Amino acid sequence: MPGMVAFGRRWGIASDDLVFPGSFELFVRVLWWIGTLSLYTLHKGKFDCSGGRVLHSYLVVLLILLAFIILSLCAIVYVSAQGTITNPGPRRSIPVLVYVRAMLYVPELIWAILGAIWVSDDSQGCRPAEVGAVIAAVVASWILLLSTGVGVLFVFDPLGTTHPGSQSQELLGVRDLESSQGSQLLSTARSVAVRVWESRLRLLCCCLPRDESHRAAFSSIAQLVSGFFSDTDLVPSDIAAGLALLHQEQDKMEQCRDPDEALSHSPSSPIAEDLQAELEKAAHCMQFAVAAYDCGTSNLICKTQSAEYDIVGGDNMGCHFSSVLHSTGLQYRDFIYVSFHNQIYEIPFFVALDHKREAVLVAIRGTLSLRDLLTDLSADCENLPVEGVSGTCYAHKGMSQAASYICKKLLNDGILNQAFTIAPEYKLVITGHSLGGGTASLLAILLRSSFPTLRCYAFSPPGGLMSKALADYSKEFVVSVVLGKDLVPRLSYPNMEDLKRRILKMVSNCNKPKYRILLQGCWYELFGGEPDDFPTEMDNRRKEELNQPLLGEESLLIRSSSSYQGLASEESPVHGSHLPLFLPGRILHITEDGPSRRSCFSQVRYRVQWSSETAFRSVLISPRMMADHMPDAVLLSLRSLTQDRPFNLCPSSLSNSHLNVI
């Protein structure tokens, strides 16, 4: 539901979010009250030290104060647990209760100060238990006060209104989107949101230089994030509840779905290669994609040159090049060029001679640093014209620029020319995982005209990567490998908009209070069981409400988002920069055979089939949505398929199991 309005502004917490923090504080306060009452009862009439009379008064007032606080917390917890996410009517009194609770902080602060003064000045001669109890009370007061202050900072919404009267004006402006006043208010709100997100990014990335490329990236990411959240009025707990509901709903649908038929040939490509042959090639290339992570993130550059090889970085820079050699099975002389240089839009890669497959192999590293993350999040569309491709050509901005950077290095610095001079009969193969996989696919497109026989194996590439025209063009030479319910290949702006609307649908139609949804969702995620039988369809009245441009308690959807084009269209829209983007090439989808819930060391077998980009137009909620993206998990599944034997879900023998990358 909309954020709670109190003290003249909107907060990043709803009126039904006070159940858990209120219950925790209530538990602490009750224990504190019982302990204080026990001390007072045991020592009543025995406070015979010099400050005994003051201590007696202190404990009496503390008991009364704690009693009032406990009563206010009971009221807050009880009222906050009423209603549902979209029915806040039973919780109308929450702001008043919050004001009462806030007023009680003043005497508590005063009493904590007086307790500290008594301990330092008047506690001489008193029993150690009495002095220790007062010290514990003072410390507990300060801890709770500081915890409350930190909590207020966490739920503070910089975009919340600062004047009570301005909220109603904003509501009127947003409701009347056709009016010039409403448009001006929306434009102002968007500008403020962009500035706030830019400030957050600068604070998060304070260690990075403030050059032009970083400023442009911050601005682009801020516009993306602020635009995505601009048409909803949800707080984080609403999103968590919606994800819990959506996961159970997806599991119910999956239990009723018939298994897909595995195909031995790709249904969407003129190349009809054997599935097993492609798997073996992919498993071989995945070793190099994983090896690219072993170099670390050193930004220092040294050069070790010989007559034929150029290594940028090295063991003495903390890059552990010996680990790269071990992962790939190559020797030092097989590497033509290794770059550990890492800046925004400039990611590490290496070029090596793969004698086993007779290939000049380019392996690009995935996300392993904050700069890589900024490259990932620079998700605007950028034109990527390719000669001979009909249709609109555009791609993910960050990865397109990273591919252009590597392309210039390979061609302008003569790296590929040097490699093919040594091995002229070899073919060019490009590979990478995650960010590296997306960049590898775009690099393959850029180099295709110069190297017509090149092949690319992209592991877990992002879903929002390239336009439909480029995706179709890449089917001839790019193979994407996706494991299970991996989130990243399903990440695109349209998919996230679809996820947002599905969350809105679930939370709007669920008739259970949020605290029950979250408790049941946590139990389901940890221990499994049958999905809860939540309602899945809205009546016509609710559908009409969600389609109206309402704000606040009447609806969770402010306005219809027009920031992206429909998936069916391939043309650029007149407005907006978030165009439909797709996975590259032909897609090999690896899934686990058997039930989805197993223990960590269960024996797992995998199955693989050709898939299409339409199968990745929806984000799937699963406990393994990030675990399936890890490079060691992808490598394990490929080894399992090529060696035809099961593996443990949590292997300890893989040399790269320490990787924890995106």
Side-chain angles (χ1 to χ4, degrees):
M1 64 162 291
M4 182 175 63
V5 177
F7 303 102
R9 66 178 306 110
R10 178 189 183 277
W11 298 84
I13 188 172
S15 60
D16 54 356
D17 286 334
L18 303 177
V19 176
F20 296 120
S23 299
F24 176 76
E25 185 180 357
L26 180 61
F27 175 74
V28 174
R29 296 285 184 177
V30 168
L31 291 181
W32 187 356
W33 188 85
I34 293 174
T36 305
L37 180 63
S38 301
L39 177 69
Y40 178 79
T41 303
L42 291 174
H43 294 266
K44 184 178 180 181
K46 300 178 182 179
F47 299 111
D48 50 2
C49 57
S50 59
R53 186 173 298 177
V54 176
L55 176 60
H56 178 273
S57 302
Y58 178 84
L59 292 178
V60 171
V61 175
L62 181 60
L63 284 171
I64 297 173
L65 181 59
L66 286 175
F68 278 109
I69 292 175
I70 289 172
L71 289 175
S72 67
L73 288 173
C74 288
I76 288 174
V77 171
Y78 175 78
V79 176
S80 182
Q82 305 304 306
T84 62
I85 295 177
T86 52
N87 179 27
R91 303 189 297 271
R92 289 193 183 97
S93 58
I94 280 290
V96 176
L97 294 174
V98 170
Y99 294 148
V100 172
R101 178 66 189 91
M103 290 173 59
L104 291 174
Y105 280 115
V106 177
E108 183 179 11
L109 175 62
I110 295 173
W111 224 239
I113 295 173
L114 292 177
I117 294 174
W118 180 86
V119 170
S120 61
D121 295 341
D122 299 328
S123 61
Q124 292 82 4
C126 294
R127 295 180 179 90
E130 298 168 355
V131 178
V134 176
I135 293 175
V138 172
V139 171
S141 294
W142 282 111
I143 291 176
L144 288 173
L145 289 169
L146 290 175
S147 300
T148 302
V150 172
V152 169
L153 291 177
F154 270 105
V155 301
F156 178 79
D157 185 1
L159 301 178
T161 176
T162 55
H163 303 289
S166 65
Q167 187 183 6
S168 59
Q169 296 176 2
E170 184 180 354
L171 285 169
L172 293 173
V174 175
R175 290 177 190 276
D176 187 13
L177 294 181
E178 301 299 327
S179 68
S180 59
Q181 182 183 4
S183 300
Q184 184 177 1
L185 283 169
L186 278 176
S187 177
T188 303
R190 292 190 193 112
S191 300
V192 173
V194 170
R195 289 198 299 271
V196 168
W197 279 102
E198 279 193 56
S199 301
R200 290 172 175 172
L201 288 170
R202 290 195 184 98
L203 181 62
L204 180 66
C205 308
C206 58
C207 58
L208 297 182
R210 301 296 178 89
D211 55 25
E212 188 61 34
S213 62
H214 286 83
R215 283 193 293 269
F218 290 155
S219 177
S220 174
I221 296 169
Q223 291 179 16
L224 172 71
V225 177
S226 62
F228 181 76
F229 289 107
S230 64
D231 63 342
T232 61
D233 201 6
L234 296 172
V235 296
S237 60
D238 295 333
I239 299 174
L243 291 174
L245 293 171
L246 192 56
H247 181 206
Q248 296 177 62
E249 175 67 15
Q250 289 177 349
D251 281 358
K252 284 194 298 185
M253 296 176 62
E254 189 172 335
Q255 290 174 4
C256 302
R257 189 179 62 185
D258 295 330
D260 298 327
E261 179 184 358
L263 301 177
S264 59
H265 300 284
S266 171
S268 58
S269 170
I271 302 176
E273 286 202 52
D274 181 71
L275 179 62
Q276 190 62 30
E278 287 288 11
L279 272 177
E280 291 175 357
K281 294 176 183 177
H284 180 74
C285 288
M286 185 60 194
Q287 299 178 74
F288 294 90
V290 171
Y293 285 107
D294 287 329
C295 66
T297 57
S298 175
N299 292 323
L300 299 175
I301 297 177
C302 68
K303 292 192 176 182
T304 305
Q305 295 183 339
S306 63
E308 297 178 338
Y309 309 106
D310 189 7
I311 307 296
V312 181
D315 288 334
N316 59 333
M317 293 292 116
C319 293
H320 308 295
F321 189 68
S322 60
S323 180
V324 179
L325 298 176
H326 176 74
S327 300
T328 60
L330 301 181
Q331 299 183 22
Y332 191 86
R333 63 175 179 272
D334 295 326
F335 287 85
I336 304 299
Y337 186 89
V338 181
S339 173
F340 300 136
H341 172 72
N342 191 202
Q343 292 293 335
I344 185 170
Y345 307 141
E346 299 174 2
I347 55 181
F349 68 97
F350 67 78
V351 181
L353 298 178
D354 179 13
H355 302 296
K356 183 177 180 179
R357 295 285 179 174
E358 294 187 345
V360 173
L361 196 138
V362 180
I364 305 173
R365 197 188 75 182
T367 303
L368 200 61
S369 72
L370 190 56
R371 294 177 175 86
D372 297 334
L373 188 60
L374 293 176
T375 302
D376 284 318
L377 294 176
S378 297
D380 285 346
C381 292
E382 184 173 79
N383 288 328
L384 188 69
V386 178
E387 187 177 352
V389 179
S390 58
T392 307
C393 297
Y394 50 86
H396 182 287
K397 176 183 176 180
M399 297 181 197
S400 177
Q401 295 205 13
S404 298
Y405 159 75
I406 296 177
C407 184
K408 291 176 182 177
K409 295 286 291 183
L410 294 176
L411 297 180
N412 296 348
D413 293 1
I415 299 171
L416 289 183
N417 182 57
Q418 181 181 356
F420 283 107
T421 299
I422 300 171
E425 71 282 5
Y426 282 14
K427 294 182 179 180
L428 180 61
V429 176
I430 308 173
T431 189
H433 172 266
S434 190
L435 167 63
T439 304
S441 302
L442 296 175
L443 176 62
I445 290 175
L446 295 176
L447 294 175
R448 169 73 167 170
S449 58
S450 302
F451 302 91
T453 61
L454 71 78
R455 300 298 300 274
C456 174
Y457 291 89
F459 302 96
S460 309
L465 184 61
M466 59 180 65
S467 64
K468 190 67 167 61
L470 286 179
D472 291 339
Y473 170 69
S474 67
K475 291 182 187 298
E476 299 180 10
F477 53 91
V478 177
V479 173
S480 291
V481 179
V482 178
L483 174 62
K485 297 181 179 180
D486 186 353
L487 170 66
V488 174
R490 294 174 171 83
L491 276 182
S492 66
Y493 204 87
N495 284 4
M496 294 305 295
E497 287 280 355
D498 173 68
L499 175 64
K500 179 172 63 178
R501 294 185 178 278
R502 285 188 289 151
I503 290 175
L504 287 169
K505 174 183 174 180
M506 298 303 296
V507 300
S508 298
N509 197 43
C510 186
N511 56 5
K512 294 187 178 182
K514 189 192 296 181
Y515 79 94
R516 286 187 58 191
I517 298 173
L518 294 175
L519 284 176
Q520 292 172 358
C522 289
W523 181 272
Y524 183 76
E525 296 297 335
L526 293 174
F527 305 106
E530 290 298 320
D532 203 344
D533 189 20
F534 293 109
T536 58
E537 296 297 332
M538 289 182 290
D539 55 33
N540 291 331
R541 178 183 62 82
R542 294 298 300 147
K543 289 182 180 179
E544 291 175 0
E545 286 183 4
L546 280 180
N547 288 329
Q548 293 174 0
L550 302 179
L551 180 69
E553 295 179 355
E554 298 180 42
S555 175
L556 300 175
L557 187 65
I558 297 176
R559 59 184 176 82
S560 298
S561 176
S562 59
S563 57
Y564 70 95
Q565 192 79 347
L567 285 171
S569 173
E570 297 181 23
E571 301 301 324
S572 302
V574 178
H575 302 287
S577 59
H578 303 296
L579 312 177
L581 298 171
F582 299 85
L583 282 168
R586 298 175 293 154
I587 304 170
L588 279 174
H589 190 200
I590 302 172
T591 55
E592 295 178 15
D593 259 341
S596 58
R597 289 186 179 271
R598 304 183 182 90
S599 65
C600 187
F601 296 97
S602 298
Q603 292 288 305
V604 179
R605 287 191 178 274
Y606 296 92
R607 64 194 300 264
V608 64
Q609 63 183 8
W610 290 108
S611 187
S612 64
E613 65 270 10
T614 56
F616 300 91
R617 287 186 177 177
S618 179
V619 175
L620 300 180
I621 309 302
S622 168
R624 294 194 57 81
M625 60 194 301
M626 289 309 300
D628 283 344
H629 185 68
M630 295 300 108
D632 56 327
V634 179
L635 180 59
L636 180 149
S637 65
L638 288 168
R639 286 179 176 175
S640 175
L641 287 165
T642 53
Q643 298 173 15
D644 193 24
R645 62 187 179 92
F647 277 83
N648 289 329
L649 278 177
C650 303
S652 58
S653 58
L654 279 179
S655 60
N656 297 89
S657 61
H658 64 281
L659 290 174
N660 186 19
V661 291
I662 298 176

